[in-house]
Amino acid sequence: MAPDELRSTVERVGDRFNLGEYEIDAYLTVLEQGQLTASEIADRTEIPQPRVYDTVRSLSDRGLVELRESRPMKVVAIDPADAFDEVQHSLEQMIDELEARYTAPARDTEAVSLVKSRSTILRYLEEIVTDAEYELSLSLTPDLLVRFEDELAAALERGVSIDLIVTPAAEAPAPDDFDYTAIATTTRARRGITTPVLAVADGNYSIYATQDALRDDKDRYGVIFNRSALGFLVSGFFGTVLWTTAEETLGEDTDPRDYPRKYASIRRCVKDVIEEGGEFYATIVGRDVEVGGQRIVRGQIVDVSFEVSEEVAAITLVNEDGTEVTVGGRVAALEDVEAHEIHIGRREPPELDD
């Protein structure tokens, strides 16, 4: 389709739907009754009698009704499938052409953005869920839980480990009515409407928004961390503030984990190591706490630290030269290595993907 043809198609579709309030009232009323006279339309709507004739002729010009010149004139409904057949075809054709011209916006490698649009926040939430490769942390309202149920189930099916908070707890579906194990590894409920909506994928792509922002409150906003080094703030906030105060467990998968396994959250990793028991080996990709720069360590896990509050977690392993190395999470200060990726295996330290 040539540019001029596409423009005329867009204009034609727009013109067809450019209906005023009187036209909408009259059209819906005629559709419901099948046929009416002008005076009957005036009686059933709030359209002033002098405006009825202009209104129905406008509908007739758009091919939405048929005018039968009798005494009195009758306004006859046209089957919507016939009335909108042409515009439906034009709309489908227009969408195909527009999609052909569409260039998806590239994600910046380092970006922090403020967004106020509810639709944009929802779009990014969906992207985070669908793009997660191995780990998801989410805080969702019950409405969002239902909205993203299929996406969460698909993520769980492809092996993503999911920690989910549903808030406010009073509105969360009861476990007897909703199968939480089908959409998350562990689900907890947290009371209060002050709990934010957030999602973190693989520890580095995240979004944070107030519940008010999802109600189109123009004074509220969401923050998107697109593979930003600051994204760990959302992950840390989730793990230390939200997760530890979400006291009611709605569902939990108690099946043994498959290994090797990859983690972004050291809290989640240490918890699994403790619960599974036995020998574990690790390959850690992170940063040297003292001198900076990337550091990769491999070895057998010989000790873990994990407070009951789940706010503190650390790993000690014996690396290939026989020395002990301590590993902490993001912004570690007391340990030797700040972990960015944690690979856990049963018989030997897992190999890293190229």
Side-chain angles (χ1 to χ4, degrees):
M1 184 182 291
D4 289 344
E5 292 176 342
L6 177 59
R7 180 176 295 276
S8 64
T9 299
V10 174
E11 291 174 349
R12 186 165 63 252
V13 171
D15 287 344
R16 174 60 68 90
F17 288 100
N18 187 23
L19 300 176
E21 182 179 348
Y22 289 163
E23 291 162 319
I24 293 172
D25 286 347
Y27 179 56
L28 293 178
T29 302
V30 173
L31 275 182
E32 292 171 355
Q33 301 300 320
Q35 69 175 26
L36 294 171
T37 65
S39 61
E40 288 172 335
I41 292 174
D43 291 340
R44 287 173 167 80
T45 66
E46 297 182 0
I47 304 173
Q49 181 74 38
R51 295 292 304 276
V52 172
Y53 286 97
D54 289 341
T55 299
V56 297
R57 291 192 186 281
S58 175
L59 294 175
S60 176
D61 290 342
R62 286 175 165 81
L64 301 179
V65 299
E66 176 186 341
L67 300 184
R68 294 181 181 173
E69 300 293 346
S70 58
R71 291 184 180 273
M73 182 181 70
K74 292 182 180 179
V75 184
V76 181
I78 296 177
D79 187 333
D82 296 329
F84 289 96
D85 179 63
E86 179 184 350
V87 73
Q88 182 176 357
H89 175 73
S90 297
L91 186 59
E92 291 172 350
Q93 186 179 22
M94 180 187 73
I95 290 173
D96 289 341
E97 290 293 331
L98 292 175
E99 284 183 339
R101 292 167 178 249
Y102 172 67
T103 300
R107 286 185 184 168
D108 298 329
T109 56
E110 179 75 15
V112 179
S113 306
L114 294 180
V115 294
K116 287 190 174 183
S117 165
R118 179 177 184 273
S119 61
T120 301
I121 293 173
L122 292 175
R123 177 167 59 84
Y124 272 93
L125 277 171
E126 182 176 356
E127 282 189 13
I128 288 173
V129 174
T130 56
D131 290 354
E133 296 179 6
Y134 55 92
E135 192 172 284
L136 261 176
S137 301
L138 303 108
S139 171
L140 301 177
T141 63
D143 287 344
L144 293 178
L145 172 69
V146 174
R147 181 187 183 100
F148 295 117
E149 180 178 356
D150 291 343
E151 289 81 359
L152 289 169
L156 193 68
E157 180 68 23
R158 64 176 181 267
V160 178
S161 184
I162 302 174
D163 280 349
L164 170 66
I165 290 174
V166 182
T167 180
E171 299 176 14
D176 290 341
D177 301 327
F178 190 93
D179 184 7
Y180 288 99
T181 60
I183 51 94
T185 310
T186 305
T187 305
R188 295 181 179 179
R190 190 174 191 270
R191 69 183 296 269
I193 62 172
T194 57
T195 305
V197 170
L198 65 79
V200 185
D202 306 328
N204 58 14
Y205 182 33
S206 56
I207 184 169
Y208 175 104
T210 64
Q211 291 190 35
D212 290 337
L214 273 300
R215 302 187 186 98
D216 274 335
D217 187 331
K218 300 304 181 183
D219 294 327
R220 307 295 180 180
Y221 56 85
V223 185
I224 297 167
F225 299 92
N226 184 3
R227 301 196 180 278
S228 166
L230 295 176
F232 78 89
L233 294 173
V234 181
S235 180
F237 177 75
F238 177 90
T240 60
V241 178
L242 299 185
W243 190 252
T244 57
T245 55
E247 298 178 346
E248 180 186 357
T249 299
L250 299 174
E252 186 166 16
D253 180 9
T254 57
D255 292 339
R257 305 280 186 260
D258 293 326
Y259 296 94
R261 196 172 192 85
K262 185 177 179 182
Y263 297 85
S265 164
I266 194 168
R267 172 190 59 80
R268 189 197 304 262
C269 172
V270 170
K271 186 177 180 182
D272 283 355
V273 168
I274 292 174
E275 291 180 350
E276 298 281 334
E279 288 189 355
F280 280 95
Y281 295 80
T283 300
I284 310 293
V285 179
R287 182 170 58 176
D288 190 286
V289 170
E290 287 193 352
V291 301
Q294 186 183 69
R295 185 174 177 183
I296 299 176
V297 292
R298 297 179 173 86
Q300 182 179 357
I301 296 176
V302 294
D303 191 23
V304 293
S305 301
F306 191 68
E307 292 189 359
V308 177
S309 65
E310 302 189 23
E311 294 180 8
V312 177
I315 293 172
T316 301
L317 57 82
V318 176
N319 69 12
E320 295 165 319
D321 63 10
T323 60
E324 289 191 354
V325 179
T326 56
V327 179
R330 294 282 187 163
V331 203
L334 303 178
E335 294 80 17
D336 300 317
V337 177
E338 173 196 64
H340 298 170
E341 292 182 7
I342 306 168
H343 302 257
I344 300 294
R346 275 298 195 182
R347 297 180 177 84
E348 61 184 0
E351 296 294 327
L352 297 177
D353 297 331
D354 294 333

